[in-house]
Amino acid sequence: MKKLNDVYRAGRVAISIELFPPKTTAGEQALYEHVRKMIEYGPDFVTCTYGAGGSTRDKTLEIVRQVKTKFGVPVASHLTVVGSTVDQLREYLQQAVQADVDYVVALRGDPPQGETSFQVTAGGLRYACELVELIHREFPQFGVAVAGYPEKHQEAASFDSDLGYLKNKVDAGSDLVITQLFFDNRDFLRFRDRCDAIGIRAPIVPGILPVTNLKQIRRIASLCGANIPQSFIDHLARSDQPEWQLQAGIEFALTQVHELIRQGVPGLHFYVLNQSQAMLAILEGLQIRSPRSSG
Ligand code: FAD
């Protein structure tokens, strides 16, 4: 099992790719075809989200197991505390050990569909930090990543308190911070400086959404509260041709990522939304991995 410390080492930019569990078998088959193409560029690991309220728990594990078996790449399962008792979380982690999962992205989670606020499950946990502690104590074989918010978590009382709680997660045993998606690198760089100032030493990896159309970016940004530069919206809106919007999204992501690499980020985490077209163009344009090399 490769440790996350080995993945984020000096002199290279690690790449991770995030998937979500498709709803249908056909969607799942299509997903593996997309993954097959992206694997050519040697990503360091592939993650799969855990549906709101644990709705995809079996599917999440199945996807990461299949990705690891089919492509031999390290995998991370996301895991949230929503809707689970501590014993159920333990049981999931035990299954993840059996499925040869390498890393866990430990999260509190968003409320299930139809609910507006997070509710603690009886016998469960309240914050991601407690999940990190559980994993660190009982499943030390897993590398652990946690979420960070360059524009502050939507529920946080203040930026400072949010950062303090992020530090708690790292101090509790997390090896890595992956950020929420953002479109203005200045937000990320400020966040990174503030993390540094309070002594967060884990690698901080920007989460990048390769935008493929205007409707998508509006929906996603409204869900997570990310600020989209008006100039980017205007640029995307110049044509409603899908090909134009896709190319505009790829160009924006490439510019964003080139700048982040110049700023010394240790890695890039891509929210690919189970599609490979934009991601392949970005990987090609980045030229930090040649096809069929593992960097
Ligand atoms: P926490 O770190 O627990 O923070 C939640 C809120 O509580 C924050 O406002 C924080 O400031 C505050 N807080 C933390 N600790 C304390 C404390 N001790 N006292 C008071 N307040 C505190 N969601 C899913 O459902 N499934 C996924 O697979 C998933 N994957 C994600 C992957 C990444 C990389 C990211 C960035 C997000 C992901 N999310 C996922 C979304 C995430 O679950 C939500 O953003 C959720 O609302 C917060 O989760 P968290 O782990 O950051 O929570």
Side-chain angles (χ1 to χ4, degrees), residues 57 60-61 77 79 88-96:
R57 46 181 294 135
T60 299
L61 260 191
S77 169
L79 176 60
Q88 287 169 326
L89 292 169
R90 277 196 189 103
E91 195 187 314
Y92 185 88
L93 289 161
Q94 196 52 54
Q95 288 169 0

Side-chain angles (χ1 to χ4, degrees), residues 49-50 78 107-110 127-128 149 153 156 162 165 169 271:
T49 62
Y50 187 88
H78 295 215
L107 303 141
R108 185 200 70 181
D110 280 327
Y127 297 114
Y149 300 86
H153 184 255
D162 205 26
Y165 295 132
K169 293 194 277 194
Y271 297 102

Side-chain angles (χ1 to χ4, degrees), residues 169-212:
K169 293 194 277 194
V170 174
D171 292 346
S174 170
D175 311 290
L176 170 68
V177 176
I178 302 176
T179 78
Q180 183 58 279
L181 59 92
F182 60 91
F183 298 101
D184 187 336
N185 285 350
R186 289 171 301 181
D187 290 327
F188 173 82
L189 296 171
R190 260 194 301 270
F191 169 75
R192 188 176 69 171
D193 286 348
R194 292 176 78 160
C195 288
D196 186 53
I198 62 164
I200 295 176
R201 299 287 170 247
I204 300 181
V205 171
I208 305 294
L209 174 73
V211 171
T212 54

